[in-house]
Amino acid sequence: MEGLHFYILLLILAISLFNKYVVPKIKNLPPTPPLSALTVIVNRCLFDQPIHRTLAQIASGHGPILLLHFGCRRVLLVSSSSVAEELFTKNDKVFANRPKLLPGKVFGHNFTNLAWAPHGPLWRHLRRVSCVEILPFHRLPAQQESCAEEVKMLLGSLFRSRDEKVALHPLFLDLVLDVTMRMFTGKRYCRKKMAKADDVSQPISLLDYATRSFRMTTGEPDACYFMPILKLLGMKDLEQRCNELQRKGDILMDSLIEEVRTRMLSGEKEENVIEFLLARQKDDPKQKLNKLYSDEIISGLVMVLASAGTETTAGILEWAFSLLLNHPEVLRKAHNEIENYVRNDRFLELSDLEHLPYLSCIVKETMRMYPVAPLIVPHESSRECTIRGYNVPKGTMLMVNVWAIHHDPKIWDEPMKFKPERFENVIGKRDPFKLMPFGYGRRSCPGKHMAVRVITLALGSLIHCFDWEGVNNQKKVDLTEETGLALLKAQPLMAICHPRSDMVDLLSEI
């Protein structure tokens, strides 16, 4: 009997090795490095290394296009600009689907919102509404004014905290969400008191929903997707917590939509997104657009744009300031550029940004070094396709390692160094497959232009109005990264601001 067991185990091992190393060659699949999944797990558990760095190490040793196996799922890993270019130019539509991950089921209203809907009529409608009808709102004069007002409020808050240690990330979160919500509702909401994380009976603010849902999506892997047997074993804690958070989020959004609807019925007219979308419901006598502009669709659009854009935009601002504090010569050069153009008798305005090329270089270099989405949100192939001569099966998850591309020494000189000057001679030129902080193609971030404008205006205003220093006599800001799927700072940035003497009068008026 013992001999029989030995031969069975030997047969299982032979079949496993055959499937792993022989079948891929027969089917002409991309190469699969040995022990790749184990390497990811070991580096994550033992060395606490962010997954984008681990995947970059695997790719550097085995090639720019690999087929990995995470549990029972195939994962296509792309780590070079040239492969990404072929992927997004020839197979963008094939990879326009999303895998059925838990965040899409819960936060995506069962895969029906902009971020998680499969490629099809509903997704095309949501994408068109977002890009053509919603996001252009941020270019309207009233919205540009509100953005400038929110930045001034940030400056005023810092002025009142001058010469004291300040945690910048919460202030950046407030700024970004207030800009977003003024565009969507005409009001700010993020400074409402938050419920405690473990208090399931209390409502939450939109900021709390946005940050928690983002952290659950990027910080806690959906293990049951890769190993479905775990769900049968009762591992549903993450799903339960996501459902509870989403229940509160739905209640919150319903109240916001009703508030705007009530203002509309009372005759108040404002330029905001929810009012515009509700008007599309009202102006449809044949009810053809009811499903396309339902309250649930409107709620989903607001929630996904708020949750996806808040932490990421605030994260880029925090990385930019951390880099500037570590490179005072860059900070001085940026201030000189702003002061020479704007002077000191007014605040920086959105219309000034096109005349401040070095400030734009700083933003680009920050997004190159620390793309907040170092692995673009996963895609999934809707049919079999060919990339670099390899066959990629239907249903394969796609992960593009943007961080690896942004740090590729073949396309970037000294990629680990912060050098905004590298972009000085390429302003206006585009090579989108070398710099992809917002992804590329059909599934790229629709709010990228709005995010860059808010980041650049806020960053430039903080440079213009204050002198900055680190805390506790630290010579360098700690640039350690969190280990989740999002590239955020592990240690929140603390800094001290001193109002510039020639800006005190302006700041005191806020």
Side-chain angles (χ1 to χ4, degrees):
M1 182 65 76
E2 291 181 0
L4 179 60
H5 289 166
F6 172 78
Y7 286 115
I8 291 175
L9 290 175
L10 193 63
L11 178 62
I12 293 173
L13 178 62
I15 293 173
S16 176
L17 293 174
F18 181 82
N19 288 333
K20 189 166 186 177
Y21 297 108
V22 179
V23 171
K25 292 183 179 180
I26 296 174
K27 293 184 175 181
N28 193 31
L29 301 178
T32 298
L35 304 179
S36 57
L38 182 61
T39 302
V40 173
I41 295 171
V42 169
N43 282 4
R44 179 71 183 271
C45 297
L46 298 184
F47 302 106
D48 208 25
Q49 178 170 267
I51 189 172
H52 56 270
R53 288 181 177 267
T54 297
L55 294 176
Q57 289 175 1
I58 293 173
S60 67
H62 299 281
I65 177 171
L66 301 171
L67 188 65
L68 310 181
H69 296 274
F70 291 173
C72 64
R73 305 291 183 179
R74 294 191 189 95
V75 178
L76 182 70
L77 177 64
V78 171
S79 306
S80 82
S81 173
S82 59
V83 178
E85 181 173 5
E86 179 179 337
L87 172 73
F88 286 118
T89 54
K90 297 181 179 180
N91 292 290
D92 187 29
K93 186 176 181 180
V94 175
F95 280 95
N97 276 340
R98 292 284 194 222
K100 299 291 186 178
L101 293 165
L102 178 62
K105 176 183 177 182
V106 180
F107 302 133
H109 290 97
N110 199 27
F111 310 102
T112 60
N113 75 5
L114 176 64
W116 293 101
H119 186 260
L122 174 62
W123 177 82
R124 284 192 290 269
H125 166 74
L126 295 174
R127 181 76 179 188
R128 182 183 61 79
V129 169
S130 299
C131 294
V132 179
E133 299 179 354
I134 291 181
L135 291 170
F137 265 76
H138 82 275
R139 295 187 179 274
L140 295 178
Q143 300 301 330
Q144 294 193 27
E145 183 179 342
S146 68
C147 179
E149 288 175 358
E150 291 302 326
V151 172
K152 287 181 184 178
M153 291 190 67
L154 170 62
L155 298 177
S157 177
L158 288 168
F159 180 67
R160 290 185 289 275
S161 301
R162 58 191 178 276
D163 305 325
E164 299 176 1
K165 290 193 298 185
V166 178
L168 290 178
H169 190 68
L171 296 178
F172 294 155
L173 287 173
D174 281 355
L175 166 69
V176 176
L177 192 57
D178 276 345
V179 170
T180 304
M181 294 318 296
R182 286 185 68 169
M183 184 176 81
F184 275 97
T185 70
K187 293 179 63 177
R188 65 160 54 96
Y189 290 91
C190 72
R191 290 180 178 86
K192 290 185 177 181
K193 185 178 180 181
M194 298 183 190
K196 293 181 179 179
D198 58 352
D199 191 345
V200 298
S201 65
Q202 295 297 318
I204 58 174
S205 72
L206 187 59
L207 176 60
D208 202 13
Y209 170 82
T211 55
R212 286 192 207 171
S213 60
F214 181 83
R215 295 280 176 164
M216 286 183 179
T217 300
T218 61
E220 302 185 53
D222 181 11
C224 292
Y225 173 79
F226 298 101
M227 299 183 69
I229 192 173
L230 295 179
K231 185 175 290 187
L232 298 177
L233 297 176
M235 292 185 62
K236 298 182 180 181
D237 175 63
L238 176 61
E239 184 171 1
Q240 291 170 352
R241 287 185 287 117
C242 288
N243 282 325
E244 180 57 37
L245 178 60
Q246 187 59 36
R247 183 188 67 81
K248 291 184 178 183
D250 288 336
I251 293 172
L252 173 65
M253 281 309 308
D254 288 345
S255 68
L256 295 184
I257 292 173
E258 282 306 312
E259 185 178 328
V260 175
R261 183 180 277 120
T262 300
R263 294 206 305 262
M264 291 175 63
L265 293 174
S266 67
E268 295 182 33
K269 293 292 183 181
E270 297 178 357
E271 277 189 339
N272 66 69
V273 170
I274 292 181
E275 181 180 295
F276 169 79
L277 296 176
L278 289 175
R280 298 296 296 266
Q281 287 182 353
K282 184 179 178 181
D283 295 339
D284 181 31
K286 295 184 179 180
Q287 304 295 307
K288 291 182 179 180
L289 299 180
N290 257 7
K291 291 183 179 180
L292 297 181
Y293 290 94
S294 66
D295 284 7
E296 185 177 18
I297 292 294
I298 295 173
S299 173
L301 282 169
V302 176
M303 289 176 120
V304 72
L305 292 173
S307 60
T310 302
E311 275 280 11
T312 52
T313 306
I316 294 170
L317 273 169
E318 189 175 26
W319 280 118
F321 239 87
S322 300
L323 289 166
L324 289 175
L325 289 175
N326 283 355
H327 296 82
E329 72 286 356
V330 176
L331 184 58
R332 284 193 298 270
K333 185 174 178 180
H335 175 259
N336 290 339
E337 178 186 65
I338 297 170
E339 190 173 51
N340 289 338
Y341 183 78
V342 181
R343 305 297 179 185
N344 53 27
D345 57 349
R346 65 179 179 87
F347 291 112
L348 184 66
E349 300 173 357
L350 282 167
S351 58
D352 298 321
L353 301 185
E354 61 183 293
H355 304 287
L356 303 171
Y358 191 66
L359 181 62
S360 176
C361 291
I362 292 172
V363 174
K364 287 186 176 182
E365 178 69 344
T366 301
M367 294 190 295
R368 182 194 69 80
M369 290 193 71
Y370 295 99
V372 177
L375 301 167
I376 64 172
V377 181
H379 297 217
E380 186 176 270
S381 57
S382 57
R383 59 178 174 81
E384 184 176 334
C385 63
T386 302
I387 301 175
R388 281 293 169 97
Y390 294 112
N391 296 327
V392 178
K394 176 182 177 181
T396 299
M397 179 190 288
L398 169 68
M399 299 178 75
V400 178
N401 194 339
V402 170
W403 185 90
I405 294 172
H406 288 188
H407 292 79
D408 186 349
K410 296 177 182 177
I411 58 178
W412 300 102
D413 178 47
E414 297 183 297
M416 304 307 292
K417 288 189 177 181
F418 178 61
K419 300 197 317 183
E421 290 77 11
R422 73 174 79 244
F423 289 102
E424 283 188 323
N425 297 322
V426 295
I427 295 295
K429 299 178 182 179
R430 296 185 72 245
D431 194 343
F433 303 104
K434 292 181 180 179
L435 187 67
M436 298 190 292
F438 299 101
Y440 191 84
R442 287 171 171 80
R443 288 286 187 170
S444 63
C445 174
K448 55 190 174 184
H449 298 299
M450 177 180 172
V452 169
R453 286 162 67 86
V454 173
I455 291 166
T456 310
L457 179 64
L459 186 64
S461 298
L462 296 176
I463 295 171
H464 184 211
C465 294
F466 299 98
D467 288 313
W468 292 88
E469 63 174 294
V471 300
N472 301 327
N473 297 317
Q474 289 180 337
K475 293 183 178 180
K476 293 288 184 179
V477 173
D478 185 351
L479 299 180
T480 303
E481 305 161 9
E482 281 191 354
T483 58
L485 294 177
L487 207 169
L488 302 174
K489 280 177 75 358
Q491 299 297 324
L493 175 62
M494 303 289 293
I496 300 173
C497 63
H498 307 288
R500 295 185 182 274
S501 58
D502 50 11
M503 298 298 293
V504 169
D505 290 342
L506 276 177
L507 289 168
S508 61
E509 295 174 1
I510 300 177

